[in-house]
Amino acid sequence: MRSAASRLRCSLAAFALAWAGLCSASPDIEPLPVEEIAPGVHVHVGHQATWPGAQGDERAGDIANLGFVVGERCVAVIDTGGSPQLGQRLLAAVRRVSTRPVCYVINTHVHPDHTLGNAAFAALAPAPRFVGHARLKASLAARAPFYREALARDLGLATDDADIVYPDLEVADTLTLELGGRSLHLRAWPTAHTDNDLSVLDDASATLFAGDLLFVAHLPVIDGRLLGWLEVMDALARLDAARVVPGHGAPVADWSPALEAQRRYLSGVRDGIRSAIAAGRTITEAVEALANTGVDGWLLTEDFHRRNLTAAYAELEWED
Amino acid sequence: MNTLTSLLLAGALAASLGGPAHAQRSDPENPDANATWQQLRTTMFQARTIDTAADTIISLEAPERAQDAAIVPISIRTHVEQRPERFIERVYLMIDNNPSPVGAIFHFTPASGRADIETRVRVDAYTHVRAIAEMNTGELYMTTRFVKASGGCSAPPGKDMTAAMASLGKMRFRVEGEVEPGKPALAQLMISHPNNSGLVMDQLTRMYTPAHFVRRIQVSYAGQPVLSADVDFSISENPNFRFYFVPTGEGELKAEVIDTNALRFETAVEVDAGS
């Protein structure tokens, strides 16, 4: 893996200096397209699609927003993409911008489109710290076999144990990471989108990486606790951010309409399911009855709305 | 070792431990071909005939595509009146490609009224789901559905592991609708329990999270058994069952739940069916 990284540097050097002959044996790793949305803050916007996608589809695995922040001392990467290969392409994008070491790789939560590229960075020397919510490790351990099975089944990608990289720096509450000339403020949230959501605020640019606590255009997906998420959104709204990078969808400067749209959808699911439970409907009946409700204007509703209703029912039937 | 435990071991060995990476592949069009099923069939039913033209006895509702692989609603409906001379004595729920394919064995009596059951299961991989009715007279009837667990974000582990442990053992039990004597009444039992499979390995310590799941459920009405079930971790977190019993007048509907740590939980509801 060490050699993969040096091969990469070699091929980039070849690209820059047009010494093609020196490095002709190296694999070409195409850097992921990124945009500098604020000084030193680079974002790759993922496709609006489901993970893992289909073999041969250029969008496969590439659905989450990924980013990196360049400080005077080093670089922090925020989410790494839906496959080890995408992680390599993100690393190539980092190297195109900066030669400073990657000192932190932060995962905003467990989902595979945000974590499976970690392995590309584990190969670096010196190795970065992998940073996540205190509950990320347990969640990733429980889910990794399923993620690997999906990669094999749908993308034909074989992986091994080393491709799943766990956090070695855990955040139970808050943590500040110094990058040189700028700091990242990390905050671990109570169960919301998942039970291991972590947000990242860059103080120099006031850019908030919200992870999947905020979805733009992509239908929000409940994989934690619906009522908890609505509460977390109230706290999130009070953060002082000049722009927000959602987990999915375009980065936004004025983010209150995006937050409001998400609140409308999630509270609609809550209210619909509460009524169905009160009316004595079973989980199957409730999902059928609400299958077309509240989804106007969102993408990927066929993939996620019924799933959200199912999860919401299982949560809310225990309400007092 | 009880019957279910040995069946579970047989099934777990067949499917091999450690999650879906080793799961059998299933042909949706050919439910008989699955190797796990063939082995289970031999272990559990030997050479007995299993009638698959079962529509007049038992039917199974399950989503074609599991919306949330951790919570797949399963509804087993039966079309036989539970009379002492002829009734459905057992219903087997099997999920071929789960690490432990025998998800539940439900035991019914004439006092059940109907041998219907609704519950929610975890589905680890694309799989056939089977419901098999065994009559008190010995005949076997099987119905099958193919279920696709959808997408990678939808994985069987629970959504909030810490919260699940904190509320362990809490139960809700209720009878739904108007209750009339002699007429099957619908009851719902909800159990707050993480139902940990014991198959999740901590990749750093290489230790398995201990198995801890609901193992047995016994329900009686006025002292008479109406449902008992041997269940395992294919049942979703917070196990949930809807089933029937026949009220006769005043009586207590009582549920007893036992998990793999020998923790025992009880709940009861007074039923007044008038008279």
Side-chain angles (χ1 to χ4, degrees):
Chain A
M1 295 299 278
R2 173 83 196 276
S3 66
S6 44
R7 272 202 311 276
L8 176 60
R9 276 196 291 275
C10 188
S11 67
L12 286 171
F15 179 77
L17 303 172
W19 287 351
L22 279 179
C23 295
S24 56
S26 301
D28 290 321
I29 296 177
E30 187 193 341
L32 278 178
V34 294
E35 189 190 342
E36 188 168 8
I37 62 167
V41 179
H42 303 260
V43 172
H44 169 72
V45 177
H47 297 278
Q48 294 281 10
T50 58
W51 186 89
Q55 203 164 350
D57 186 335
E58 57 158 18
R59 299 173 302 175
D62 180 10
I63 65 158
N65 293 343
L66 316 174
F68 55 93
V69 178
V70 181
E72 289 163 9
R73 182 174 72 84
C74 61
V75 179
V77 171
I78 300 153
D79 287 338
T80 57
S83 68
Q85 289 71 14
L86 277 161
Q88 293 285 358
R89 294 186 58 197
L90 179 63
L91 175 58
V94 173
R95 284 292 165 254
R96 198 176 242 192
V97 169
S98 172
T99 54
R100 289 173 197 154
V102 176
C103 47
Y104 299 107
V105 173
I106 303 161
N107 292 123
T108 59
H109 64 291
V110 68
H111 284 152
D113 46 327
H114 301 260
T115 54
L116 292 191
N118 285 8
F121 298 90
L124 295 173
R129 302 294 299 273
F130 287 83
V131 190
H133 190 293
R135 288 198 293 248
L136 172 63
K137 195 188 290 177
S139 184
L140 186 55
R143 289 155 182 257
F146 299 94
Y147 295 165
R148 291 177 57 192
E149 165 72 4
L151 281 182
R153 184 188 62 221
D154 294 349
L155 300 187
L157 289 178
T159 51
D160 58 33
D161 287 349
D163 285 316
I164 305 297
V165 180
Y166 294 87
D168 54 25
L169 182 55
E170 300 190 331
V171 187
D173 182 14
T174 60
L175 179 70
T176 297
L177 303 175
E178 301 292 343
L179 305 184
R182 70 199 309 160
S183 308
L184 300 182
H185 300 287
L186 279 53
R187 180 159 172 186
W189 296 90
T191 302
H193 166 64
T194 66
D195 74 353
N196 52 86
D197 299 307
L198 184 73
S199 63
V200 181
L201 181 65
D202 168 46
D203 66 353
S205 67
T207 302
L208 174 68
F209 287 84
D212 283 5
L213 289 173
L214 181 66
F215 282 79
V216 170
H218 181 309
L219 191 76
V221 179
I222 305 165
D223 198 23
R225 205 168 80 84
L226 170 58
L227 299 182
W229 197 353
L230 285 163
E231 285 169 21
V232 164
M233 283 172 62
D234 291 338
L236 206 60
R238 289 194 289 272
L239 293 183
D240 194 12
R243 69 187 66 70
V244 176
V245 181
H248 299 265
V252 282
D254 178 11
W255 57 306
S256 62
L259 211 52
E260 196 41 49
Q262 176 168 294
R263 181 187 306 285
R264 200 158 48 240
Y265 171 71
L266 291 176
S267 53
V269 168
R270 175 196 63 196
D271 297 345
I273 290 293
R274 274 182 178 158
S275 305
I277 291 169
R281 289 190 160 139
T282 66
I283 191 166
T284 307
E285 291 164 354
V287 171
E288 280 312 310
L290 296 167
N292 299 311
T293 307
V295 294
D296 287 351
W298 293 102
L299 302 173
L300 304 171
T301 57
E302 286 297 312
D303 298 288
F304 295 114
H305 183 52
R306 285 164 180 264
R307 174 187 149 81
N308 286 338
L309 294 168
T310 304
Y313 189 107
E315 175 185 333
L316 297 175
E317 69 186 332
W318 283 93
E319 276 190 303
D320 292 317
Chain B
M1 192 183 289
N2 67 31
T3 318
L4 183 67
T5 308
S6 42
L7 288 171
L8 289 176
L9 287 176
L13 289 173
S16 108
L17 291 169
H22 308 286
Q24 303 283 329
R25 302 300 166 117
S26 283
D27 173 4
E29 303 305 319
N30 190 3
D32 286 338
N34 182 274
T36 305
W37 161 243
Q38 287 177 352
Q39 183 176 345
L40 283 174
R41 192 203 188 292
T42 307
T43 313
M44 298 174 70
F45 305 113
Q46 295 80 39
R48 293 163 67 187
T49 301
I50 301 178
D51 192 343
T52 53
D55 292 355
T56 58
I57 305 290
I58 189 166
S59 51
L60 170 63
E61 291 169 30
E64 254 179 68
R65 183 166 280 280
Q67 301 298 332
D68 184 332
I71 314 163
V72 181
I74 296 286
S75 174
I76 297 170
R77 306 215 180 280
T78 59
H79 314 289
V80 176
E81 215 175 311
Q82 296 283 94
R83 295 175 182 278
E85 63 277 15
R86 185 170 185 267
F87 63 96
I88 295 173
E89 193 164 29
R90 288 186 198 91
V91 171
Y92 302 82
L93 173 62
M94 302 202 195
I95 302 162
D96 288 2
N97 292 343
N98 271 12
S100 172
V102 184
I105 304 174
F106 300 102
H107 308 258
F108 297 95
T109 69
S112 308
R114 291 165 69 169
D116 291 16
I117 194 103
E118 279 183 42
T119 189
R120 300 162 197 171
V121 298
R122 296 170 166 139
V123 173
D124 276 22
Y126 289 22
T127 186
H128 284 99
V129 177
R130 302 164 192 275
I132 301 169
E134 182 173 21
M135 309 301 297
N136 64 319
T137 43
E139 302 94 317
L140 294 164
Y141 299 90
M142 176 167 76
T143 182
T144 307
R145 287 281 173 277
F146 192 73
V147 176
K148 294 175 175 178
S150 97
C153 294
S154 175
K159 292 178 173 50
D160 188 336
M161 299 191 225
T162 315
M165 286 310 291
S167 60
L168 185 147
K170 195 173 152 191
M171 291 200 280
R172 293 209 178 162
F173 199 19
R174 65 169 172 263
V175 178
E176 300 188 358
E178 290 293 307
V179 177
E180 291 175 44
K183 201 177 150 197
L186 182 61
Q188 182 174 31
L189 175 65
M190 296 163 60
I191 307 154
S192 184
H193 201 292
N195 245 30
N196 287 335
S197 69
L199 295 182
V200 175
M201 182 189 270
D202 184 320
Q203 302 294 321
L204 300 174
T205 61
R206 312 303 287 179
M207 298 287 280
Y208 287 99
T209 307
H212 187 193
F213 54 91
V214 170
R215 159 57 75 212
R216 188 166 171 81
I217 295 155
Q218 297 173 148
V219 182
S220 63
Y221 170 69
Q224 299 298 311
V226 292
L227 168 73
S228 66
D230 296 298
V231 292
D232 81 358
F233 53 79
S234 280
I235 302 293
S236 299
E237 177 183 332
N238 300 335
N240 190 310
F241 303 94
R242 288 159 61 92
F243 57 92
Y244 286 89
F245 71 103
V246 182
T248 49
E250 280 184 40
E252 189 183 57
L253 187 67
K254 186 175 161 190
E256 187 183 342
V257 174
I258 301 158
D259 76 12
T260 48
N261 287 10
L263 295 175
R264 205 167 148 280
F265 314 104
E266 272 189 15
T267 181
V269 55
E270 284 301 326
V271 179
D272 183 359
S275 48

